[in-house]
Amino acid sequence: MTPLLEIKSACRYFGGLHAVEDFSGHVKRGERVGLIGPNGAGKTTLFNLITCFTPLSSGAVFFDDTDISSLKAYRVARLGIARTFQNLRVMPNLSVFDNVSIGALGALGHSPFAALTKRANYANDIGRRTWDALEQTGLQDQASELAANLSYGKRKYLEIARALALSPRLLILDEPAAGLNDTETAQLAEFVLRLSGEGLSILLVEHDMNFVMSLCERVMVMASGRKIADGSPQEVSNDPVVLEAYLGSEEEAA
Amino acid sequence: MRRLISISILLLAVLLVLPGVLSAVGGGYWFRVTTTIGVFSILTMSANLITGTTGLMSLGHAGFYGIGAYTTALLATKLHWPFFLTLPVAGVVTAVFGILLALPTMRLIGIYFAVATLGLGEIIHVTLLNWVDFTRGPMGISAIPGISLDGLFSASDITNYYAVAIIALLAALVLGRLTHSYYGNALRAVREDDQCAASMGLNVVGLKIQSFAFACFFAGVAGGLWAHTTGYISPGDFRFSESILILAMMVVGGLGSIPGAVLGAVILLGLPEVLRPIGDYRMIVVGAVMFFSILFLPRGLLGETSVLSVVRRQFGLAWDRTLNLGWRQ
Amino acid sequence: MFDVFFVQQLVNGLSIGLIYALMAIGFTLIFGVLNVVNFAHGEVYMIGAFAGLLAITQLAPPLFAVILVALAFGALAGFGLERIAFRPFRRFRDEASLKSKAIREATLLSSLAVSIIVRELAEKIFGSNMQSIPQEYLLLKPIEIGPLSFANGQFLIFGLSIVMLGGLQWLLKHTRVGLSIRAVANNPMGAAYVGINTERTIIATFVIGSTLGAIAGLIVGLYQGAIFPAMGFAPGVKAFVAMVMGGLSSIGGAVVCALILGMAEAITTSFFAQGWGDLVAYLFLVITLVFFPTGLFGGGRERV
């Protein structure tokens, strides 16, 4: 069986800067994959390429055997790739419920005529999906709260809830544990594990190595836009190339 | 049940109480003032869909209003079409123009969109002013037949009032459903963060175009009503300053709020009429009211509320937020 | 192919273009520092013209003094404008909010509101019609060079614009104020950290930009013989177009585009009726925004 997500020698140049260069990799169905690398390695750019936020300079991305490289971002989301953002992008002026309903709207489509004719089934479906996602993330009690009033930790869950309302097959998390304390990080890891248990494939960027090592089945390492290692957490953490990328070579350190 | 009560209060007020009061205070003139307020309410409600809900600041709404007015005026004077044909056609023509003109500008955000719509509005105004063969230029079009139907009713101030009132109610209904529904949530998501909305599967460009099309449709209908009720239009009615007036009404009433739009129209058009000495300084009042509401009431008088919730609140039917999550359609 | 009429039109276009350039610089400076559009810039132009006119009718001083009066009033108008329409909305000092979307839209509306108030007040005081200007101050004395005929105003426009553009370059490159302006435009937080008084720099930017606008207003008023309260709107929009075409924060780009715009307009009006001339600017505006969102000369810019 082909992997759910397959990246084939993806390249992205910004002028002379090679943000992502010849990156190949994949995520299998139900797999939890971590993507690590020093700052500025091109991880977020790679995420933007996968979700078609930024067009590829060359290469291709396949999702479930369909070439998504030239699709618009919203089409990719509807195919089943949902993401969260590194710098939280909740909509502060909308309620928690309305925030999450955006994901459900993305999945079920939005038509002005449904609103005009008051199609009841449609509204119920969106409502149900939204509540499901809220319950999954434990936000149901704050549903009527404005998103701006949530704590930082809760906002992280709000972003995940919004992504879950899309009913994705692949969930992409950009630094989910950043800014969380140890207890919160542990809770988040447990939560992600539960999602994965329900069959969701997960690709995440994270700087917290404990989080990545305990959670992910496989880790890809990026440095200067290239993939430098790919393997189980143990393999990767003992790889001299990876250590060098993180710590710098002897001469540089001296 | 509550819903039914609120709706009947609203209908009663607009269709019986208000005309009653207006004829009691002396009819004619006040009917015309109210009709103008009604037309601007429709305009402001429609502009609100783009600016308040979808978050695209439009500075060219008067241009689309002008397209609707000229379409109606030309159809009514040249082809002698009756109002029940001219108004919807004006709406559709304006919506088509709106889409065609706005299509290329949909990629723009924030002030760039605002300025592009200013340009579009002025292009329309300059065209109306200079295409003399078609629009009669600065002379304008006069003797536009009023709203009448043989054997049923003839053109009069009261007919005009009811035509405007009924269409304003319809516009409030349609725009209210678009705004206060899951579809409205999608539009608000575009306003709050368009990139994030796209990554959640919303077709941002499609939503922008749809909201623009609906807004232009009602702007066109409002233009048609203006042409029929006043009988005379000229390019001066559709200048940039009218776009600003519409914007000011929106800002005062509350961006994204439909009753706010009506309230804004009442305040900015009604006050100068009631307080005579202010009348001469109308645009100054508009500017001042706009300035102070941005400074002190950034959410406007009513914020993002629906018509019915305002009526309900007035009658003490406080509403439980948790019961009202999601939209019952 | 030497067509006298055509050359004449080009020269007329060039002088109008220089005026747009003077206004566009004001826009560009303010946009550079605050990332906001100052909708009241056209009113500063009008204030300059009216200040000059008042000086002429009350005191009848020499032209040089009239220009100084316009200059002073322009500076004053810029200062007041910043205080009233922009300062109250800068409640937070960090960079994110200093150039945030909310502030941009709030000040867009507030400067629009101020511009309406100022224009309407001027209409209440002076009436909305064109003011009569004493004959001896009109800059319309013909000067013949070969087959070409120029007005003396055109020479004044050329001379003054070049002096002011040069002066501005010198100011920005070699004075403390100019350096602060460039620093704040580049990075307001960084500028604040190295001890530049951001507030004062912002005021200085408004004052300099408004001075240029006010002088432009006065000269155009005298050259076209048309001083009226709504005179600032059209040049304001055109200067804005020039700024957008030039890439928003490039003064050189704005000047070049203002000249292109002025000439394009002059050429259009020589082929079509006068009224269609305005259409050119608006078409340029929409086309530039749509097809060259980073301005005609490229250059980086955040997402439009």
Side-chain angles (χ1 to χ4, degrees):
Chain A
M1 203 155 88
T2 50
L4 182 64
L5 177 78
E6 189 157 24
I7 308 159
K8 289 182 173 163
S9 37
C11 295
R12 174 68 210 188
Y13 310 130
F14 293 108
L17 176 74
H18 294 204
V20 174
E21 188 157 22
D22 198 24
F23 187 102
S24 298
H26 65 272
V27 178
K28 292 197 207 104
R29 287 175 172 75
E31 202 180 15
R32 299 184 299 276
V33 180
L35 179 65
I36 59 171
N39 287 322
K43 303 179 298 281
T44 299
T45 310
L46 185 69
F47 277 8
N48 286 342
L49 294 178
I50 296 171
T51 49
C52 292
F53 247 55
T54 324
L56 285 158
S57 298
S58 69
V61 179
F62 289 86
F63 181 71
D64 203 13
D65 293 329
T66 6
D67 185 356
I68 58 169
S69 332
S70 56
L71 292 184
K72 294 229 162 58
Y74 78 94
R75 292 257 172 233
V76 175
R78 285 181 186 180
L79 278 177
I81 302 183
R83 72 176 292 185
T84 64
F85 293 88
Q86 189 178 353
N87 42 348
L88 288 180
R89 291 177 89 163
V90 297
M91 301 171 181
N93 298 323
L94 301 188
S95 71
V96 168
F97 183 94
D98 288 348
N99 259 287
V100 176
S101 75
I102 307 299
L105 274 161
L108 295 174
H110 42 78
S111 148
F113 302 105
L116 289 178
T117 54
K118 293 204 162 195
R119 275 212 319 255
N121 293 342
Y122 167 78
N124 290 339
D125 284 350
I126 290 190
R128 198 172 324 112
R129 248 172 204 262
T130 309
W131 278 119
D132 284 349
L134 284 170
E135 275 160 21
Q136 251 179 307
T137 46
L139 286 170
Q140 66 272 42
D141 294 334
Q142 279 114 324
S144 61
E145 205 84 48
L146 273 188
N149 299 341
L150 287 191
S151 68
Y152 186 75
K154 289 282 180 192
R155 278 191 233 178
K156 294 239 161 190
Y157 281 97
L158 175 55
E159 275 219 328
I160 299 178
R162 190 172 61 189
L164 289 177
L166 249 172
S167 308
R169 281 181 288 166
L170 174 65
L171 180 61
I172 296 185
L173 303 169
D174 202 345
E175 302 204 12
L180 299 185
N181 63 30
D182 290 348
T183 338
E184 287 170 328
T185 310
Q187 281 167 351
L188 183 69
E190 200 182 311
F191 175 65
V192 175
L193 214 56
R194 201 164 68 228
L195 290 179
S196 156
E198 289 160 17
L200 192 58
S201 313
I202 286 162
L203 173 62
L204 59 89
V205 159
E206 185 50 66
H207 282 301
D208 184 337
M209 282 307 144
N210 290 331
F211 183 81
V212 177
M213 295 302 169
S214 64
L215 187 64
C216 297
E217 297 161 322
R218 192 158 57 80
V219 175
M220 298 192 273
V221 188
M222 253 184 126
S224 318
R226 292 172 175 278
K227 188 164 89 172
I228 57 170
D230 187 343
S232 73
Q234 285 73 29
E235 284 165 24
V236 166
S237 56
N238 295 324
D239 191 331
V241 183
V242 176
L243 290 175
E244 193 187 304
Y246 266 91
L247 302 173
S249 56
E250 292 295 323
E251 303 91 90
E252 274 177 60
Chain B
M1 193 56 209
R2 284 176 179 188
R3 215 184 142 70
L4 221 60
I5 296 175
S6 335
I7 291 177
S8 9
I9 290 171
L10 194 70
L11 287 180
L12 206 69
V14 175
L15 297 180
L16 289 174
V17 179
L18 191 57
V21 171
L22 288 178
S23 17
V25 297
Y29 175 72
W30 289 105
F31 269 109
R32 282 194 291 280
V33 171
T34 317
T35 311
T36 311
I37 292 177
V39 170
F40 272 85
S41 300
I42 301 175
L43 279 172
T44 311
M45 283 189 282
S46 66
N48 225 332
L49 186 70
I50 320 175
T51 305
T53 312
T54 319
L56 300 164
M57 193 183 290
S58 168
L59 295 179
H61 215 58
F64 297 107
Y65 168 49
I67 290 182
Y70 270 86
T71 310
T72 302
L74 291 171
L75 288 175
T77 52
K78 296 240 161 89
L79 303 178
H80 306 290
W81 285 17
F83 76 94
F84 55 83
L85 286 178
T86 56
L87 291 181
V89 170
V92 171
V93 168
T94 313
V96 170
F97 262 102
I99 294 173
L100 289 181
L101 287 176
L103 208 51
T105 56
M106 282 299 162
R107 279 188 313 142
L108 306 173
I109 58 165
I111 47 172
Y112 304 97
F113 183 85
V115 175
T117 49
L118 187 160
L120 291 180
E122 285 302 296
I123 287 174
I124 296 171
H125 177 231
V126 171
T127 309
L128 293 178
L129 198 60
N130 288 293
W131 195 2
V132 179
D133 300 338
F134 194 62
T135 64
R136 294 170 43 84
M139 309 255 291
I141 298 176
S142 50
I144 304 162
I147 292 174
S148 64
L149 208 57
D150 284 337
L152 283 173
F153 50 84
S154 59
S156 73
D157 287 336
I158 294 177
T159 321
N160 287 344
Y161 172 83
Y162 275 102
V164 172
I166 289 168
I167 291 175
L169 284 172
L170 280 176
L173 176 73
V174 171
L175 293 167
R177 281 194 177 177
L178 289 176
T179 320
H180 299 282
S181 64
Y182 283 112
Y183 181 72
N185 278 10
L187 296 179
R188 276 184 280 271
V190 173
R191 175 189 73 196
E192 296 286 318
D193 186 339
D194 55 342
Q195 287 185 320
C196 179
S199 76
M200 290 298 128
L202 301 190
N203 180 356
V204 172
V205 173
L207 284 166
K208 285 182 181 175
I209 291 174
Q210 287 160 10
S211 74
F212 213 82
F214 278 106
C216 285
F217 177 84
F218 284 108
V221 173
L225 281 172
W226 181 251
H228 276 306
T229 53
T230 57
Y232 168 73
I233 54 169
S234 69
D237 301 344
F238 313 108
R239 278 176 312 181
F240 179 63
S241 60
E242 305 302 302
S243 295
I244 298 307
L245 186 60
I246 296 169
L247 190 67
M249 288 170 181
M250 246 184 310
V251 169
V252 171
L255 286 172
S257 162
I258 287 175
V262 180
L263 189 65
V266 171
I267 290 176
L268 289 182
L269 290 174
L271 270 191
E273 297 294 341
V274 181
L275 305 171
R276 265 290 151 195
I278 299 183
D280 290 344
Y281 297 89
R282 210 186 85 186
M283 277 314 275
I284 300 180
V285 173
V286 169
V289 169
M290 186 161 140
F291 182 79
F292 287 112
S293 48
I294 308 161
L295 194 56
F296 298 117
L297 284 170
R299 283 174 181 277
L301 286 171
L302 292 179
E304 245 185 89
T305 39
S306 72
V307 182
L308 293 185
S309 75
V310 167
V311 178
R312 265 178 229 166
R313 226 180 278 163
Q314 294 318 308
F315 289 83
L317 306 170
W319 78 346
D320 184 357
R321 278 201 64 120
T322 46
L323 287 178
N324 275 284
L325 284 174
W327 306 101
R328 266 174 240 105
Q329 302 188 328
Chain C
M1 198 187 84
F2 183 73
D3 186 337
V4 175
F5 175 70
F6 192 72
V7 173
Q8 186 87 52
Q9 283 296 332
L10 272 188
V11 173
N12 290 343
L14 208 59
S15 44
I16 287 301
L18 277 170
I19 291 300
Y20 294 160
L22 287 182
M23 281 197 79
I25 290 170
F27 263 129
T28 313
L29 281 176
I30 292 168
F31 191 92
V33 168
L34 280 180
N35 267 19
V36 294
V37 176
N38 172 15
F39 251 98
H41 202 54
E43 272 48 54
V44 172
Y45 174 90
M46 179 268 286
I47 286 176
F50 270 91
L53 182 69
L54 277 185
I56 290 171
T57 48
Q58 301 300 318
L59 304 166
L63 188 61
F64 177 68
V66 177
I67 291 177
L68 284 185
V69 168
L71 196 138
F73 271 82
L76 207 64
F79 177 76
L81 184 65
E82 199 275 334
R83 262 294 154 90
I84 294 168
F86 289 85
R87 164 93 44 106
F89 299 93
R90 279 202 310 279
R91 290 174 188 136
F92 307 103
R93 289 287 179 271
D94 57 305
E95 180 175 16
S97 32
L98 209 57
K99 292 192 173 183
S100 78
K101 194 180 158 208
I103 289 200
R104 280 193 214 175
E105 300 199 340
T107 51
L108 179 80
L109 290 172
S110 64
S111 61
L112 200 58
V114 168
S115 89
I116 295 173
I117 296 172
V118 171
R119 183 165 64 232
E120 295 293 321
L121 277 178
E123 281 195 13
K124 284 289 164 252
I125 298 169
F126 300 101
S128 60
N129 296 331
M130 297 206 186
Q131 308 291 312
S132 59
I133 305 164
Q135 200 63 40
E136 60 273 23
Y137 282 97
L138 282 177
L139 301 170
L140 288 170
K141 291 183 198 74
I143 295 172
E144 311 266 340
I145 299 177
L148 301 171
S149 154
F150 302 105
N152 59 349
Q154 284 175 321
F155 289 101
L156 189 68
I157 289 174
F158 278 115
L160 213 56
S161 318
I162 288 161
V163 168
M164 295 211 304
L165 290 179
L168 184 74
Q169 280 305 317
W170 178 80
L171 190 85
L172 286 178
K173 293 265 156 68
H174 299 286
T175 64
R176 247 192 110 72
V177 186
L179 285 175
S180 325
I181 290 179
R182 290 194 300 158
V184 174
N186 238 309
N187 182 346
M189 283 316 279
Y193 288 143
V194 299
I196 292 172
N197 186 337
T198 355
E199 288 299 307
R200 214 185 288 159
T201 309
I202 290 171
I203 292 175
T205 315
F206 271 86
V207 167
I208 295 171
S210 303
T211 317
L212 297 180
I215 292 182
L218 174 70
I219 307 176
V220 171
L222 296 180
Y223 166 57
Q224 294 181 337
I227 295 181
F228 56 102
M231 67 188 281
F233 178 68
V237 172
K238 285 161 195 170
F240 181 84
V241 179
M243 171 178 87
V244 174
M245 283 166 69
L248 282 171
S249 47
S250 141
I251 291 180
V255 171
V256 172
C257 292
L259 296 181
I260 295 177
L261 195 63
M263 289 194 278
E265 235 180 87
I267 293 168
T268 321
T269 41
S270 61
F271 288 116
F272 300 97
Q274 180 72 37
W276 292 106
D278 285 340
L279 202 61
V280 178
Y282 300 121
L283 283 176
F284 267 60
L285 171 68
V286 176
I287 291 170
T288 319
L289 280 173
V290 172
F291 294 105
F292 307 97
T294 54
L296 290 186
F297 306 113
R301 179 194 316 176
E302 52 167 333
R303 207 161 62 100
V304 287

